[in-house]
Amino acid sequence: MARTSSLPVVAIVGRTNVGKSTIFNRLLQEQKSLVSSMPGTTRDRFEGNVLWRGHFVRIVDTGGFGTKPVDDLEKAMFEQARQAIREADALVFVTDAQVGPQDEDKLIAQELIQTKKPIIFIANKADNATIRGTLEDAAWHRFPFGLPLGICANQNSGLGDLLDRVYEELERIGKQPADVQDVITTRVAVIGRPNVGKSTLLNSLLGEKRFITSATAHTTREPNDTDITVNEKVYTLIDTAGIRRSNRVAQKKVALENLGVEKTIDAMKRAHVVLFVIDISEEVNAQDKHLAGELTKAGVSVIMIANKWDLIPDKDPETINAFETYLRAHFPMLSYAPIVFTSAMTGQRVPHLFEVIDLVFKSRFTQLSKAECKEFIGRAILRHQPSRGRGVQHPKITSFEETSLNPPTFTLHIRQSREDALNPSYLHFLSNLLRDQYEFQGTPIRIEVAARKKHHTT
Ligand code: GDP
């Protein structure tokens, strides 16, 4: 699970009162709503993991720092900050845009530059354009690391730009932020009606070459889950009860459906990615469609597995297209799911599934900055004005933001007081456009409409 010790560490440094804790809290607060209760995202007062653009870093708030302590207490505090600076891979040096650069800032800067670590120089409290304008004044040119990046932690502005800069610097020195899969174990469930080949597929996934790690401590793993390591990445296969655990044990067939509908739904809810297995040698039936409906409700990411491909005779390059068209017509609600044609029996394309799982898992954490969301919605409106729903007025969009991940969820604020003032077809238009422009393979996108509350000014 959380290999947090290997995450790059970023320390926030600066004088007292420049807003370090606000910045720290903002970065971590965002996380709370984005990745609520996910392992690896716990924090304490001064340290926490931040997920940005699919990668994690560890952020440390160093508390007050300065070069001239007034008493022993402050001396001890500064020493502690120095310790954190020594342990960090990169430093965010915070100053105050409103009071301007102080002598003490310059002394701190001199000390920081000795560390030879990357320094991201920022001026906080840049609330408005006038203050931001002053950041080019001569006084700011006297620092050894260029002009500061203006941000405003209170108004939550510029934090995405700050993280972009931090990540650039870390990559430059070869300290890659940790991939989301290194911190959060990918949970995969195999679901489908009886006899489509689920057990066969699971056994194929658990094939001899893969290392089964059943003893790892794990918060979300239940007794019937199995951990496997493939290419150094850990996956938890959900509800693998009775699946053969080694070659020596004779294959014991267990149909997931015997575990009951509730268990199947529970498995899809615990999974990040569901392999939805269909028997391509038979017609799609009502049971398949029912399961597809449940998958849509669960908000899980889906890969459609068209299994028993070996049973299809006389295949030519057109055959696969014809079957794809057939499946798309039967599962319109899963239009976002990639389709993989497999033979669980012969193992055809089964190893390739892990690549698709990785891609789909990452897509659950695709994160757009505030600026990107704003730009996106601006362009979308130019292409297609918000269409009218039940109200008499044309709806007006006031803001658009990504408010949580896993799966990606956006909130669209409108000026009208009723959510249904916006035609739901507009949400389809937006999610299709998001899919065209960003990586959301296999993943549902949720867009929640927020109407204007009474007495609320926008
Ligand atoms: P489950 O009920 O979904 O777990 O299905 P099983 O894995 O038990 O498979 C049902 C039957 O289909 C068994 O006889 C398997 O050997 C067979 N089967 C599974 N996958 C394939 C496949 O890719 N090709 C062929 N031809 N048969 C398969």
Coordinates of all heavy atoms in Angstrom, one line a residue, residues 190 192-203 243 251 253-257 277 279 281 306-311 342-347, ligand 1:
V190 N -13.9 -9.2 -11.3 CA -14.3 -9.8 -12.6 C -15.7 -10.2 -12.4 O -16.1 -10.9 -11.5 CB -13.4 -11.1 -12.8 CG1 -13.9 -11.8 -14.1 CG2 -12.0 -10.8 -12.9
G192 N -19.7 -11.0 -14.4 CA -20.3 -11.5 -15.6 C -21.3 -12.6 -15.3 O -21.2 -13.1 -14.2
R193 N -22.2 -12.9 -16.2 CA -23.2 -13.9 -15.9 C -22.5 -15.3 -15.9 O -21.4 -15.4 -16.3 CB -24.4 -13.8 -16.9 CG -24.0 -14.1 -18.3 CD -25.3 -14.1 -19.2 NE -24.9 -14.0 -20.6 CZ -24.5 -15.0 -21.3 NH1 -24.4 -16.3 -20.8 NH2 -24.3 -14.8 -22.6
P194 N -23.2 -16.3 -15.4 CA -22.6 -17.7 -15.3 C -22.1 -18.1 -16.7 O -22.7 -17.8 -17.7 CB -23.8 -18.6 -14.9 CG -24.8 -17.7 -14.2 CD -24.6 -16.3 -14.9
N195 N -20.9 -18.8 -16.6 CA -20.4 -19.5 -17.7 C -19.7 -18.7 -18.8 O -19.4 -19.2 -19.9 CB -21.5 -20.4 -18.4 CG -21.3 -21.9 -18.0 OD1 -20.2 -22.2 -17.6 ND2 -22.3 -22.6 -18.1
V196 N -19.6 -17.4 -18.6 CA -18.9 -16.6 -19.6 C -17.4 -16.8 -19.6 O -16.7 -16.4 -20.6 CB -19.3 -15.1 -19.5 CG1 -20.8 -14.9 -19.8 CG2 -19.0 -14.6 -18.1
G197 N -16.9 -17.3 -18.5 CA -15.5 -17.6 -18.4 C -14.7 -16.8 -17.4 O -13.5 -16.6 -17.4
K198 N -15.5 -16.4 -16.3 CA -14.9 -15.5 -15.3 C -13.8 -16.3 -14.5 O -12.7 -15.8 -14.3 CB -15.9 -15.1 -14.2 CG -17.0 -14.2 -14.8 CD -18.0 -13.7 -13.8 CE -18.8 -14.9 -13.2 NZ -19.6 -15.6 -14.2
S199 N -14.1 -17.5 -14.1 CA -13.1 -18.3 -13.3 C -11.9 -18.6 -14.2 O -10.7 -18.5 -13.7 CB -13.7 -19.6 -12.9 OG -14.9 -19.4 -12.3
T200 N -12.1 -18.9 -15.5 CA -11.0 -19.2 -16.4 C -10.2 -18.0 -16.5 O -8.9 -18.1 -16.5 CB -11.6 -19.7 -17.7 OG1 -12.6 -20.6 -17.5 CG2 -10.5 -20.3 -18.6
L201 N -10.8 -16.8 -16.7 CA -10.1 -15.6 -16.8 C -9.3 -15.3 -15.6 O -8.1 -14.9 -15.6 CB -11.0 -14.4 -17.1 CG -10.3 -13.1 -17.4 CD1 -9.5 -13.1 -18.7 CD2 -11.3 -11.9 -17.4
L202 N -9.9 -15.4 -14.4 CA -9.2 -15.2 -13.2 C -8.0 -16.0 -13.0 O -6.9 -15.6 -12.7 CB -10.1 -15.4 -12.0 CG -10.9 -14.1 -11.5 CD1 -12.0 -14.5 -10.5 CD2 -9.9 -13.1 -10.8
N203 N -8.1 -17.3 -13.3 CA -7.0 -18.2 -13.2 C -5.9 -17.8 -14.2 O -4.7 -17.9 -14.0 CB -7.4 -19.7 -13.5 CG -8.0 -20.2 -12.2 OD1 -7.4 -20.0 -11.1 ND2 -9.1 -20.9 -12.3
I243 N -10.7 -19.7 -6.2 CA -9.9 -19.8 -7.4 C -8.6 -20.5 -7.0 O -8.1 -20.2 -5.9 CB -9.6 -18.3 -7.8 CG1 -10.8 -17.6 -8.2 CG2 -8.6 -18.3 -9.0 CD1 -11.6 -18.2 -9.4
Q251 N -7.8 -27.3 -10.0 CA -8.6 -26.1 -10.3 C -10.0 -26.4 -9.7 O -10.7 -27.4 -9.9 CB -8.8 -25.9 -11.8 CG -9.7 -24.7 -12.1 CD -9.6 -24.3 -13.5 OE1 -8.7 -24.6 -14.2 NE2 -10.6 -23.6 -13.9
K253 N -13.6 -24.8 -9.4 CA -14.4 -23.7 -10.0 C -15.4 -23.1 -9.1 O -16.1 -23.8 -8.4 CB -15.2 -24.4 -11.2 CG -15.7 -23.4 -12.2 CD -16.3 -24.1 -13.4 CE -17.8 -24.2 -13.2 NZ -18.5 -23.0 -13.1
V254 N -15.4 -21.8 -9.1 CA -16.4 -21.1 -8.2 C -17.1 -20.1 -9.1 O -16.4 -19.3 -9.8 CB -15.7 -20.5 -7.0 CG1 -16.6 -19.4 -6.4 CG2 -15.4 -21.5 -6.0
A255 N -18.3 -20.1 -9.1 CA -19.0 -19.1 -9.9 C -19.4 -18.0 -9.0 O -19.9 -18.2 -7.9 CB -20.3 -19.7 -10.5
L256 N -19.0 -16.8 -9.4 CA -19.3 -15.6 -8.6 C -20.8 -15.4 -8.3 O -21.2 -15.0 -7.2 CB -18.8 -14.3 -9.2 CG -17.3 -14.0 -9.0 CD1 -16.9 -12.8 -9.8 CD2 -17.0 -13.8 -7.5
E257 N -21.6 -15.9 -9.2 CA -23.0 -15.7 -9.0 C -23.5 -16.5 -7.8 O -24.5 -16.1 -7.2 CB -23.8 -16.0 -10.3 CG -23.7 -17.4 -10.7 CD -22.5 -17.7 -11.5 OE1 -21.6 -16.8 -11.6 OE2 -22.3 -18.8 -12.0
V277 N -17.2 -9.4 -18.1 CA -17.0 -10.5 -19.1 C -18.3 -10.9 -19.8 O -19.3 -11.1 -19.2 CB -16.4 -11.8 -18.4 CG1 -16.0 -12.8 -19.4 CG2 -15.2 -11.4 -17.5
D279 N -19.7 -13.5 -23.1 CA -19.4 -14.6 -24.0 C -19.8 -14.2 -25.4 O -20.9 -14.1 -25.7 CB -20.2 -15.9 -23.5 CG -19.9 -17.1 -24.4 OD1 -19.3 -16.9 -25.5 OD2 -20.3 -18.2 -23.9
S281 N -19.4 -15.7 -28.1 CA -19.9 -16.8 -29.0 C -21.5 -16.9 -28.8 O -22.1 -17.6 -29.6 CB -19.2 -18.1 -28.7 OG -19.7 -18.6 -27.4
A306 N -14.7 -9.3 -24.2 CA -15.5 -10.2 -25.1 C -14.7 -11.5 -25.2 O -13.7 -11.6 -25.9 CB -15.6 -9.5 -26.5
N307 N -15.2 -12.4 -24.3 CA -14.4 -13.7 -24.1 C -14.9 -14.8 -25.1 O -15.9 -14.7 -25.7 CB -14.5 -14.1 -22.7 CG -13.6 -15.2 -22.3 OD1 -12.4 -15.2 -22.8 ND2 -14.0 -16.2 -21.5
K308 N -14.1 -15.8 -25.1 CA -14.3 -17.0 -26.0 C -14.1 -16.6 -27.5 O -14.8 -17.1 -28.4 CB -15.7 -17.7 -25.7 CG -15.9 -18.0 -24.3 CD -16.9 -19.0 -24.0 CE -17.2 -19.2 -22.5 NZ -18.3 -20.1 -22.3
W309 N -13.3 -15.7 -27.7 CA -13.0 -15.2 -29.1 C -12.5 -16.4 -30.0 O -12.7 -16.4 -31.2 CB -11.9 -14.1 -29.0 CG -11.6 -13.4 -30.3 CD1 -10.3 -13.2 -30.8 CD2 -12.5 -12.7 -31.1 NE1 -10.4 -12.5 -32.0 CE2 -11.7 -12.1 -32.2 CE3 -13.9 -12.4 -31.1 CZ2 -12.2 -11.4 -33.2 CZ3 -14.4 -11.7 -32.2 CH2 -13.6 -11.2 -33.2
D310 N -11.9 -17.4 -29.3 CA -11.4 -18.5 -30.1 C -12.5 -19.3 -30.7 O -12.3 -20.0 -31.7 CB -10.6 -19.4 -29.2 CG -11.4 -19.9 -27.9 OD1 -11.6 -19.0 -27.1 OD2 -11.7 -21.1 -27.8
L311 N -13.8 -19.1 -30.2 CA -14.9 -19.9 -30.8 C -15.5 -19.3 -32.0 O -16.3 -19.8 -32.7 CB -16.0 -20.1 -29.7 CG -15.7 -20.9 -28.5 CD1 -16.9 -21.0 -27.6 CD2 -15.3 -22.3 -28.9
T342 N -10.8 -11.5 -25.9 CA -9.9 -12.4 -25.3 C -10.3 -13.9 -25.5 O -11.5 -14.2 -25.8 CB -9.8 -12.2 -23.8 OG1 -11.1 -12.5 -23.2 CG2 -9.4 -10.8 -23.4
S343 N -9.4 -14.7 -25.3 CA -9.7 -16.1 -25.0 C -9.1 -16.5 -23.7 O -7.8 -16.6 -23.6 CB -9.1 -17.0 -26.1 OG -9.3 -18.4 -25.7
A344 N -9.9 -16.6 -22.7 CA -9.4 -16.9 -21.3 C -8.8 -18.3 -21.4 O -7.9 -18.6 -20.6 CB -10.5 -16.8 -20.3
M345 N -9.3 -19.1 -22.3 CA -8.8 -20.5 -22.3 C -7.4 -20.6 -22.9 O -6.6 -21.3 -22.3 CB -9.8 -21.3 -23.2 CG -9.7 -22.8 -22.9 SD -11.0 -23.7 -23.9 CE -10.4 -23.4 -25.5
T346 N -7.2 -19.9 -24.0 CA -5.9 -20.0 -24.6 C -4.9 -18.9 -24.1 O -3.7 -19.0 -24.3 CB -5.9 -19.8 -26.2 OG1 -6.3 -18.5 -26.4 CG2 -6.9 -20.8 -26.8
G347 N -5.5 -17.9 -23.4 CA -4.7 -16.9 -22.8 C -4.5 -15.7 -23.8 O -3.8 -14.7 -23.5
Ligands
GDP1 P1 -17.7 -18.6 -15.1 O1 -19.0 -19.3 -14.7 O2 -18.0 -17.3 -15.7 O3 -16.7 -18.5 -14.1 O4 -17.1 -19.5 -16.3 P2 -16.0 -20.6 -16.4 O5 -14.7 -19.9 -16.3 O6 -16.3 -21.6 -15.4 O7 -16.1 -21.1 -17.9 C1 -17.3 -21.7 -18.3 C2 -16.9 -22.6 -19.5 O8 -16.4 -21.9 -20.6 C3 -15.9 -23.6 -19.1 O9 -16.1 -24.9 -19.7 C4 -14.6 -23.0 -19.7 O10 -13.6 -23.9 -20.0 C5 -15.1 -22.3 -20.9 N1 -14.3 -21.1 -21.3 C6 -14.0 -20.1 -20.5 N2 -13.3 -19.2 -21.3 C7 -13.2 -19.7 -22.5 C8 -12.6 -19.2 -23.7 O11 -12.0 -18.1 -23.8 N3 -12.8 -20.0 -24.8 C9 -13.5 -21.1 -24.8 N4 -13.6 -21.8 -25.9 N5 -14.1 -21.6 -23.7 C10 -13.9 -20.9 -22.6

